[in-house]
């Protein structure tokens, strides 16, 4: 293979050697299989294509200074996938089998794991789809679980730097009791227009308010929101937000740093009171927020006065990354070492 320029990788797809597959037939999951094909051969009436029976996850593998390969919290991703399966009636994939599949695909593509000092990582994408043919609106009787990997650079080109965001009212990402808490493709399809509007206007991403009253901060297009003030980490409590594993980890770290943690509705006007704020998720870890503009109401909530990430966001970001790369001890048992 041609030499990869690790330090200039985009956050995109690159062909790797293998993916791992597992089929659900006759009421049970089969064995994990290693596959070198990039394409899937599925029936044109598969439920994933017509009725959105599709779920995915995102996690990363890191190469440490010690040469060891670490995967961050795969068990938490397995649990979230199981929750999605219950939500859209797909058979659950066990945590044990999920972690085994992740281990297998990382090991098989070891040469694509970026070196320690490159700032890049190996992105892992598990995917579960309904493959059984169905014309009526019913769950499929056959499913396919796939995990593929690709080396990626930072999600935002500037890396750990502040970004401007914009509140978009014309669209909702998910309904209050819809699929917002599940990681299904439909939520992302619903965010594409608002995301394009934000990008076209020069923003990093869009921000959604709650779909019911349009009063509370819900989440960023593909990430959770958190705000920091008075030594407190505040993050929205909502029935339409995806439970972010990164956010969960940051809450734990904030608590252990002696901060108070609050999960509650955050009214839009409270944005004026935050000393720091960020969007958090697997891809960017933390994207510190410079400001959030509400164009419709001619308001701009400036969070970072000097345009730099705040000290607490910085501390949380570096602490989490240090655990992911094995630079600091992992007292939580978050890291799975692949050997």
């Amino acid at each position: 293979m041609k030499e990869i320029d690790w330090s200039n990788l985009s956050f995109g797809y690159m062909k790797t050697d293998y993916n791992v597959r597992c089929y659900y037939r006759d009421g049970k999951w089969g064995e994990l299989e290693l596959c070198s094909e990039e394409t899937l051969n599925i029936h044109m009436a598969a439920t994933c294509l017509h009725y959105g029976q599709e779920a995915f996850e995102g996690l990363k593998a890191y190469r440490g200074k010690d040469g060891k390969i670490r995967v961050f919290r795969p068990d938490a991703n397995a649990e979230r996938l199981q929750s999605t399966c219950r939500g859209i009636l797909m058979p659950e994939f066990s945590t044990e089998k999920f972690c085994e599949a992740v281990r297998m695909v990382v090991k098989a593509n070891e040469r694509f794991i970026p070196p320690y000092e490159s700032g890049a990582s190996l992105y892992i994408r598990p995917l579960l789809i309904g493959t059984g043919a169905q014309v009526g609106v019913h769950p499929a009787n056959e499913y396919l679980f796939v995990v593929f990997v690709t080396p990626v650079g930072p999600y935002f080109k500037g890396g750990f730097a502040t970004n401007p965001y914009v509140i978009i009212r014309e669209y909702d990402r998910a309904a209050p009791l819809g699929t917002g808490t599940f990681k299904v493709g439909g939520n992302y399809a619903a965010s594409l227009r608002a995301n394009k509007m934000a990008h076209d206007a020069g923003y990093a991403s869009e921000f959604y308010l709650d779909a019911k009253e349009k009063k509370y901060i819900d989440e960023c297009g593909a990430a959770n929101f958190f705000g920091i003030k008075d030594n407190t980490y505040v993050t929205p409590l909502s029935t339409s937000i995806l439970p972010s594993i990164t956010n969960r980890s940051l809450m734990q770290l904030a608590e252990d740093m002696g901060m108070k943690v609050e999960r509650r509705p955050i009214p839009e006007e409270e944005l004026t009171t935050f000393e720091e704020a960020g969007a958090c998720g697997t891809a960017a870890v933390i994207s510190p927020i410079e400001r959030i503009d509400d164009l419709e109401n001619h308001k701009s909530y400036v969070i970072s006065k000097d345009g730099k990430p705040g000290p607490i966001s910085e501390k949380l970001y570096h602490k989490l990354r240090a655990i992911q790369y094995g630079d600091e001890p992992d007292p939580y048992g978050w890291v799975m070492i692949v050997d």
Side-chain angles (χ1 to χ4, degrees):
M1 88 181 182
K2 71 175 196 300
E3 215 41 55
I4 296 172
D5 183 359
W6 300 113
S7 54
N8 286 309
L9 277 179
S10 66
F11 197 91
Y13 176 78
M14 178 189 288
K15 181 176 168 25
T16 53
D17 293 335
Y18 297 101
N19 54 79
V20 169
R21 303 183 182 195
C22 190
Y23 294 88
Y24 181 90
R25 294 180 180 126
D26 304 320
K28 61 180 189 299
W29 286 104
E31 296 303 309
L32 298 176
E33 304 168 13
L34 210 53
C35 180
S36 57
E37 272 297 312
E38 282 180 288
T39 55
L40 305 176
N41 185 9
I42 59 172
H43 197 285
M44 62 186 173
T47 59
C48 64
L49 301 176
H50 299 265
Y51 305 124
Q53 263 204 313
E54 178 273 354
F56 69 99
E57 280 297 324
L59 60 161
K60 286 178 174 178
Y62 307 85
R63 196 185 292 279
K65 197 187 286 185
D66 56 7
K68 287 183 181 168
I69 298 157
R70 292 168 174 83
V71 178
F72 189 66
R73 303 196 77 171
D75 53 336
N77 287 93
E79 284 157 22
R80 189 169 65 181
L81 181 62
Q82 288 153 14
S83 163
T84 299
C85 288
R86 290 191 290 274
I88 60 168
L89 296 186
M90 299 202 291
E92 291 180 41
F93 203 73
S94 77
T95 302
E96 190 187 352
K97 205 156 190 167
F98 182 97
C99 291
E100 192 190 332
V102 166
R103 196 183 285 276
M104 189 189 268
V105 77
V106 169
K107 196 83 189 123
N109 294 288
E110 202 172 324
R111 70 195 185 103
F112 291 96
I113 303 172
Y116 170 72
E117 66 288 344
S118 63
S121 52
L122 187 74
Y123 186 76
I124 305 163
R125 171 55 60 88
L127 173 71
L128 205 166
I129 58 171
T131 52
Q134 188 66 266
V135 177
V137 185
H138 303 291
N141 57 358
E142 292 190 354
Y143 295 84
L144 169 61
F145 176 76
V146 184
V147 196
F148 68 84
V149 298
T150 183
V152 294
Y155 191 70
F156 291 112
K157 281 194 169 51
F160 187 66
T162 58
N163 285 295
Y165 289 78
V166 63
I167 289 170
I168 301 256
R169 280 188 170 77
E170 293 98 308
Y171 303 104
D172 294 319
R173 178 187 153 273
L177 296 174
T179 58
T181 56
F182 308 129
K183 200 164 172 69
V184 296
N187 297 339
Y188 295 83
S191 75
L192 291 174
R193 275 184 81 171
N195 186 263
K196 185 179 186 314
M197 281 169 72
H199 282 168
D200 288 351
Y203 294 94
S205 194
E206 76 281 21
F207 250 99
Y208 296 96
L209 299 178
D210 72 290
K212 196 175 181 182
E213 298 179 272
K214 297 281 189 210
K215 281 185 186 171
Y216 301 97
I217 289 291
D218 222 33
E219 72 173 325
C220 167
N224 278 192
F225 170 83
F226 71 86
I228 287 163
K229 63 175 179 183
D230 309 325
N231 200 40
T232 306
Y233 182 104
V234 189
T235 194
L237 181 66
S238 157
T239 53
S240 60
I241 290 177
L242 184 74
S244 157
I245 291 156
T246 305
N247 197 6
R248 215 166 102 189
S249 310
L250 292 171
M251 283 188 251
Q252 178 74 64
L253 294 179
E255 212 167 79
D256 293 351
M257 276 161 50
M259 294 177 73
K260 208 172 140 200
V261 171
E262 290 178 2
R263 282 190 73 206
R264 58 172 174 79
I266 301 172
E268 184 192 327
E269 53 276 18
E270 193 179 343
L271 290 173
T272 59
T273 68
F274 289 118
E275 299 149 23
E276 301 178 33
C280 60
T282 298
V285 183
I286 293 176
S287 170
I289 294 169
E290 182 193 337
R291 66 177 201 277
I292 299 177
D293 291 345
D294 181 350
L295 301 178
E296 202 173 296
N297 290 328
H298 310 290
K299 286 181 185 168
S300 184
Y301 303 97
V302 178
I303 312 259
S304 171
K305 308 287 184 277
D306 61 0
K308 294 190 177 113
I312 292 172
S313 299
E314 196 149 355
K315 200 172 170 187
L316 285 167
Y317 174 79
H318 290 302
K319 180 78 180 166
L320 189 61
R321 297 260 298 175
I323 292 171
Q324 290 173 334
Y325 278 95
D327 292 341
E328 283 189 28
D330 170 27
Y332 311 103
W334 285 345
V335 163
M336 176 178 89
I337 292 176
V338 176
D339 39 29

